[in-house]
Amino acid sequence: MVDLAEKEMDNPTFRSDTVLSDVHLLCPSKRHLMVRLNAVGQPVFLSHFKLLWSTEDLASGKHVREITTGREHQCTSGDELCDKDRSNVKEEGELNSEGVEALLDDDGDLEVVRRPRSASDLQAEDLLRDIVCPVILMKGKEDAFEDEEYECTRSDVVKIEHTMATPLEDVGKQVWRAAFLLADYILFKRDTFRGCSVLELGGGTGITSIIMGTVAKRVYCTDVGEDLLTMCEQNVALNKHLMEAGGGEIKVKELDWLKDEFCTDPEASYSWSEEEIADLLDHCSVIMAADVFYDDDLTDALFRTLYRITHNLRNSCTVYLALEKRLNFTLRHMDITCEAYSHFRNTINDLENLQDGKMKYTVEPIKLDFCQFLVYERIEQL
């Protein structure tokens, strides 16, 4: 049994400058255990994120389950979307487009029609929308995880240390939906990434790199800040058993987008060796980043870094970018806008139109009709 502190965070309150990812509060994890305070005094929690398969199933090519809001059904792993999904998408789209006027009242306001909740709806809600409050462990209880030893080696659970709420400059210590979305795509197209050498920019807690590590040969998971990189390295160690079957390797490294060179200072904890830089430039064929487009200056810095690295690669590579469009009401526009996303689109258009005689970038959107492999809420803003 786990001894709990008298006061649990049933109703956490946050300052106005606090950024919170609701992935931590709205997910099917059994609980979020506070395990320590980090170097800057922030509570660090340990969460379990459910996978809809085991790594043994993936290695053997067995079918995997897909989960979507309101229903659960079988989906064959691989590159083909389920026929059932295709028909459902079509039917739902037709209903939405034809039923808009029927949902408006006499004044033209939207009238929400609620249907009775069925048993399947209740099951889906239990699975997807459980509000799980963090559990604070009492100090000095070394046996707090005795009942979770089995979880440590399960092949269908990813264990991630993270913070619950941070200032904007520390958002990399949280887990965000776009990381799950990119992880879904990696598992759906795992044959594409098998044996690759991969670079992740802004890896944060490392969850996307960990998933990539189950299929890729080598992953360089990069970010900035020793406290964050230490947390990321701990998460890699917690999930090492998931990568053993494929023989994948993850190296946690510092990569500051505001600097023009790799960190090679031998005194720095997460610096690069000359051999590692050469390995990256000679073999990297995939670069990825998830939910790093929230600040215009950082977006500009990321694309400068992206250009610098791809310019020095020996071979061409594919860059995968995932993000969540966050809508906000701004006084400047007196409207609901998504300025960070608009700046991202403008910047990526500039990259595609770049004509320097050296590099050519082609941008292609990826349809989000691929199967879902991790339990989270895949919202339309992703």
Side-chain angles (χ1 to χ4, degrees):
M1 296 296 291
V2 178
D3 292 325
L4 306 181
E6 293 182 0
K7 182 179 179 182
E8 295 187 4
M9 292 177 61
D10 292 331
N11 297 296
T13 57
F14 305 100
R15 302 190 312 272
S16 60
D17 61 344
T18 300
V19 181
L20 172 67
S21 169
D22 61 0
V23 167
H24 308 314
L25 293 178
L26 296 171
C27 73
S29 302
K30 289 187 298 185
R31 54 189 167 179
H32 304 276
L33 298 173
M34 188 182 112
V35 292
R36 59 184 172 86
L37 295 178
N38 62 19
V40 294
Q42 297 166 333
V44 175
F45 293 85
L46 178 66
S47 294
H48 297 170
F49 296 99
K50 178 72 173 177
L51 307 176
L52 298 178
W53 84 103
S54 68
T55 50
E56 288 85 353
D57 290 339
L58 278 181
S60 63
K62 291 182 180 179
H63 289 188
V64 296
R65 289 182 296 137
E66 178 197 13
I67 184 166
T68 54
T69 303
R71 70 179 188 279
E72 183 178 47
H73 57 271
Q74 293 296 115
C75 175
T76 303
S77 61
D79 296 346
E80 295 182 2
L81 180 68
C82 310
D83 292 336
K84 184 176 180 180
D85 279 345
R86 296 187 187 279
S87 61
N88 284 344
V89 170
K90 181 178 179 181
E91 291 171 3
E92 290 172 4
E94 291 173 353
L95 287 174
N96 289 339
S97 62
E98 293 174 3
V100 171
E101 291 189 7
L103 296 178
L104 301 180
D105 62 17
D106 295 337
D107 298 327
D109 298 322
L110 182 64
E111 186 174 59
V112 179
V113 179
R114 301 190 182 279
R115 60 182 174 82
R117 300 173 69 186
S118 64
S120 61
D121 292 330
L122 294 174
Q123 292 173 357
E125 181 175 315
D126 288 341
L127 187 59
L128 284 175
R129 300 293 293 181
D130 261 352
I131 296 181
V132 185
C133 292
V135 176
I136 302 178
L137 300 182
M138 289 184 65
K139 185 177 180 180
K141 296 297 181 181
E142 296 179 357
D143 60 345
F145 294 97
E146 282 185 356
D147 62 335
E148 300 202 353
E149 288 185 4
Y150 175 65
E151 300 286 347
C152 294
T153 56
R154 286 185 57 177
S155 58
D156 61 347
V157 171
V158 179
K159 298 181 69 176
I160 295 293
E161 285 194 2
H162 60 86
T163 54
M164 294 293 295
T166 64
L168 184 62
E169 60 268 20
D170 280 341
V171 292
K173 296 176 182 177
Q174 301 187 55
V175 181
W176 302 91
R177 282 195 188 95
F180 287 97
L181 182 72
L182 186 52
D184 276 343
Y185 187 75
I186 291 167
L187 293 171
F188 185 66
K189 304 282 285 187
R190 56 190 176 277
D191 289 341
T192 300
F193 303 108
R194 200 176 303 279
C196 289
S197 183
V198 181
L199 170 67
E200 181 174 13
L201 301 174
T205 61
I207 187 168
T208 308
S209 282
I210 289 168
I211 296 299
M212 179 64 85
T214 64
V215 293
K217 177 181 179 181
R218 182 172 293 112
V219 181
Y220 290 97
C221 181
T222 69
D223 216 308
V224 65
E226 185 170 347
D227 194 47
L228 173 59
L229 293 172
T230 299
M231 176 188 290
C232 181
E233 190 172 54
Q234 169 69 2
N235 288 332
V236 172
L238 285 172
N239 296 281
K240 187 176 180 180
H241 62 284
L242 297 177
M243 295 163 275
E244 289 176 347
E249 177 186 20
I250 299 178
K251 294 192 174 187
V252 178
K253 296 293 176 183
E254 178 181 327
L255 184 57
D256 191 340
W257 307 339
L258 300 178
K259 297 180 181 179
D260 293 332
E261 302 294 338
F262 292 94
C263 175
T264 56
D265 181 3
E267 300 296 323
S269 301
Y270 297 96
S271 63
W272 297 71
S273 68
E274 295 297 333
E275 292 78 10
E276 289 168 336
I277 295 175
D279 175 67
L280 175 73
L281 298 181
D282 287 345
H283 301 107
C284 180
S285 59
V286 174
I287 299 176
M288 61 181 184
D291 240 332
V292 296
F293 306 102
Y294 56 88
D295 177 88
D296 292 355
D297 292 336
L298 287 179
T299 295
D300 294 339
L302 180 140
F303 276 103
R304 286 196 299 269
T305 300
L306 193 61
Y307 174 81
R308 174 173 58 84
I309 293 176
T310 54
H311 177 72
N312 290 303
L313 293 180
R314 171 172 291 186
N315 304 304
S316 61
C317 77
T318 305
V319 183
Y320 296 90
L321 306 176
L323 71 158
E324 179 178 339
K325 293 182 285 186
R326 294 179 174 86
L327 303 174
N328 296 287
F329 180 85
T330 63
L331 293 176
R332 183 154 61 97
H333 295 93
M334 292 302 292
D335 198 0
I336 296 176
T337 63
C338 191
E339 293 184 300
Y341 177 73
S342 298
H343 185 76
F344 160 76
R345 290 306 306 239
N346 292 334
T347 308
I348 204 169
N349 288 338
D350 292 341
L351 187 69
E352 187 175 25
N353 295 326
L354 180 67
Q355 295 180 354
D356 61 358
K358 301 176 182 178
M359 301 291 295
K360 173 63 178 176
Y361 297 88
T362 303
V363 179
E364 298 178 3
I366 295 176
K367 293 182 179 180
L368 303 187
D369 55 2
F370 49 88
C371 292
Q372 184 169 340
F373 294 87
L374 290 97
V375 179
Y376 68 103
E377 187 181 22
R378 188 185 286 186
I379 60 176
E380 63 180 8
Q381 287 78 24
L382 288 172

